[in-house]
Amino acid sequence: MTVIAPSRLIIADDHPLFRGALRQAVSSVLPTTKVDETGTFEDLTKLLEQDSDVDLILLDLSMPGISGFSGLIYLRAQYPTIPVVIVSASDDVGTIRQSLDFGASGFIPKRFGVDTLRDAIVKVMDGDVWVPPDVDMSAAVDPEMSKLRDRLVTLTPQQVRVLMMLSEGLLNKQIAYELGVSEATIKAHVSAILQKLGVESRTQAVIAAAKIAGGQWRQGEQNPHQ
């Protein structure tokens, strides 16, 4: 089967050396592909806002601006047609399974070398979902976690961003400033988030988000006042 070379690919990782290794792997198998690099999630969203004509995003789970699966959830909500492959140092079966459940097209552990990175990228561009061959994906699924995950994916892209900022401990007025909207809009988003997640406070919302991320979704100091 012939792989259709993507015209543009983005590597989102805060480690320059690893970005270099990924670029090497991509260039060796897809030499005509334009590769953009970004070290923060904010820079990634800016790139996509300027031009969302992207064929593949290679995303680290832990980089400035995101924690756990928040970045993946946002990208799948905002840009559902762009395949996202997770590249992470956390490669336990739970993390891999949840990445796929949240819409990732593959999961590449950072412990693998360039050859495996190359093979994985080819598979994904061929339309397959790539996961490490040495990981048992048949582990039992926690029904409570599945229910919470299903609620998280109902959030709109903007609500995901608000929840990410709540997780950083930001106040409504700070979030409003960052997103360029009114504080009343943020209050409406927070209310919708609580309703969709089935919780009663912003603190509970952040705890729920952290639970689904296995503790990877960072929790800031929460202010109880909305």
Side-chain angles (χ1 to χ4, degrees):
M1 191 179 296
T2 303
V3 176
I4 299 174
S7 58
R8 183 173 173 226
L9 181 149
I10 298 178
I11 297 171
D13 192 290
D14 62 337
H15 294 93
L17 286 176
F18 191 74
R19 286 204 307 270
L22 276 177
R23 178 183 280 273
Q24 178 187 345
V26 170
S27 299
S28 66
V29 72
L30 304 168
T32 62
T33 297
K34 181 181 186 294
V35 180
D36 289 319
E37 295 183 23
T38 176
T40 69
F41 193 72
E42 181 181 1
D43 287 345
L44 172 60
T45 56
K46 284 179 180 176
L47 271 179
L48 292 169
E49 284 163 10
Q50 292 166 6
D51 182 5
S52 61
D53 186 14
V54 178
D55 298 287
L56 179 65
I57 297 173
L58 299 176
L59 179 72
D60 188 7
L61 276 181
S62 181
M63 61 187 297
I66 59 174
S67 295
F69 302 101
S70 58
L72 174 60
I73 295 169
Y74 174 79
L75 291 174
R76 298 312 298 142
Q78 182 72 19
Y79 304 101
T81 62
I82 303 176
V84 179
V85 171
I86 299 301
V87 184
S88 177
S90 303
D91 59 354
D92 60 281
V93 66
T95 300
I96 295 173
R97 174 184 285 281
Q98 289 186 33
S99 295
L100 299 182
D101 286 347
F102 280 125
S105 296
F107 191 104
I108 307 173
K110 287 188 174 182
R111 59 186 164 89
F112 287 129
V114 172
D115 287 345
T116 303
L117 291 174
R118 260 201 312 261
D119 293 344
I121 290 166
V122 168
K123 286 275 191 185
V124 170
M125 293 315 303
D126 215 16
D128 294 332
V129 173
W130 194 94
V131 295
D134 59 349
V135 175
D136 179 11
M137 296 296 291
S138 62
V141 180
D142 183 341
E144 284 300 313
M145 294 293 274
S146 295
K147 189 184 300 182
L148 182 54
R149 182 197 66 231
D150 291 344
R151 287 177 171 175
L152 271 176
V153 298
T154 66
L155 299 180
T156 67
Q158 193 78 325
Q159 287 165 1
V160 174
R161 293 184 78 170
V162 171
L163 182 55
M164 288 161 67
M165 291 178 178
L166 289 178
S167 298
E168 296 295 332
L170 297 185
L171 303 174
N172 283 0
K173 61 183 178 183
Q174 293 171 310
I175 298 173
Y177 176 79
E178 289 291 331
L179 297 181
V181 298
S182 70
E183 192 171 344
T185 297
I186 298 305
K187 285 184 177 180
H189 280 317
V190 171
S191 296
I193 289 167
L194 301 187
Q195 184 178 13
K196 286 183 176 182
L197 296 186
V199 295
E200 297 178 355
S201 72
R202 54 203 289 142
T203 300
Q204 289 178 349
V206 172
I207 290 171
K211 189 182 295 181
I212 196 72
Q216 291 180 50
W217 194 314
R218 186 167 56 252
Q219 296 179 56
E221 288 299 317
Q222 294 301 304
N223 188 303
H225 303 294
Q226 294 188 33

